[in-house]
Amino acid sequence: MKYARIAGTGGQLPAKVVTNADLEKIVETSHDWIVERTGIHQRHIASDNETTCSLAEQAARKAMSAAGVKGSEIDLIIVATTTPDRIFPSAACLLQQRLDIHGCAAFDVQAVCTGFVYALSIADKFIRTGAASCVLVVGAETLSRILDWTDRKTCVLFGDGAGAVILKASDEPGIISSHLHADGQYKDLLTVNAGVSEHSELLKSGRAFVQMAGNEVFKMAVNTLGDIVDETLSANGLSKADIDWLVPHQANIRIINATAKKLQISMDRVVTTVAHHGNTSAASIPLALDVAVRDGRIKRGETILFEAFGGGFTWGSVLMKF
Ligand code: ACO
């Protein structure tokens, strides 16, 4: 049986940077409050001519170049996003067209901040069963388009961006295991309460915004991410010391610190980009991975744990050898 191995990574952030000082001018907040509660100093925000798919295209091209893979070799495209360019076709189909790839399967995965972990897990199954041998997996978002820029409780938290990986079939590991969960009973704690089939009037009038019960989300995230660390280690008979790198979803530095503490891993083995990127939802893990691969921190053969928590609620992890 083949393993799914990362052959290349890529990331793309919008050029426009919005600092906490910029936000002080539009909502009642302060740089110190945002840094103390979240660890965020700045975020990148898409301009009018940038979209989820335009960011995804640039990230994908960089990952393909790093992997030395041509479009014609890719036999599956999966895009994790909550903010697709269109209701349909999927972001994956629009990305396929941008990359001039024809005929391979392409679809989106919607698991909010856990989207990339879900997408990676699905891609792994395709490769393990022999249904695909070269998969482009992208996490891409323009969350800024569904933020209420008058709501200080949410607008300070998020940013835009895209991250991508090329996964190739290999005799060597590779993704070792993935663990996915969801519980829809928490649907109202973190939501955009509007869509095509429900409250479409909010969508049509531009009032479809992220709403969040911050405290509840925070507590659930910390507890659940602690549990998923235990689940992943015990499923593989590993101890905490076997993990070389934690690459967590970048929601809040306090959530990341709590997970690192649970894993008893020092913060210099945890990749954090939240200070500069904010929470880019499905894009945050592949963006963080790309940063740490390109600056030489993460090396071939090292063991990485990805973990994420997000709206749904959804949560999950992927353990892999890089
Ligand atoms: N600037 C200044 N004050 C603020 C701001 C702001 N941007 N936002 C809220 N406040 C105020 C509140 O109004 C409140 O004031 P009050 O006491 O007068 O009512 C006070 O600060 C404390 O508010 P809390 O919501 O209790 O603050 P908390 O310490 O919980 O921090 C935060 C809020 C940062 C949102 C935190 O709950 C959090 O990080 N939650 C996790 C949610 C998250 O990360 N979501 C992202 C998506 S899910 C995921 O990816 C994990």
Side-chain angles (χ1 to χ4, degrees), residues 30-164:
S30 70
H31 172 73
D32 290 347
W33 190 97
I34 299 171
V35 171
E36 188 196 319
R37 303 294 177 111
T38 71
I40 299 168
H41 289 241
Q42 62 166 60
R43 67 290 290 146
H44 293 250
I45 298 295
S47 57
D48 290 346
N49 62 357
E50 284 170 314
T51 68
T52 292
C53 287
S54 75
L55 297 170
E57 178 189 351
Q58 297 313 317
R61 288 191 185 282
K62 290 175 192 169
M64 289 162 66
S65 158
V69 159
K70 295 194 291 283
S72 56
E73 295 171 61
I74 292 171
D75 51 16
L76 174 63
I77 300 171
I78 308 178
V79 177
T81 186
T82 307
T83 49
D85 286 20
R86 301 184 183 187
I87 290 168
F88 72 84
S90 66
C93 285
L94 300 182
L95 176 61
Q96 187 186 40
Q97 180 266 328
R98 282 172 174 270
L99 295 172
D100 198 22
I101 298 172
H102 305 274
C104 75
F107 59 86
D108 290 358
V109 171
Q110 213 278 45
V112 202
C113 299
T114 319
F116 184 76
V117 165
Y118 268 63
L120 212 50
S121 173
I122 294 165
D124 177 46
K125 266 83 180 162
F126 269 83
I127 288 180
R128 279 184 190 246
T129 58
S133 59
C134 183
V135 185
L136 170 61
V137 184
V138 182
E141 302 279 14
T142 45
L143 256 289
S144 63
R145 304 264 158 83
I146 48 168
L147 292 177
D148 177 354
W149 289 97
T150 66
D151 176 14
R152 68 178 183 175
K153 290 187 174 177
T154 50
C155 76
V156 303
L157 302 175
F158 296 95
D160 300 330

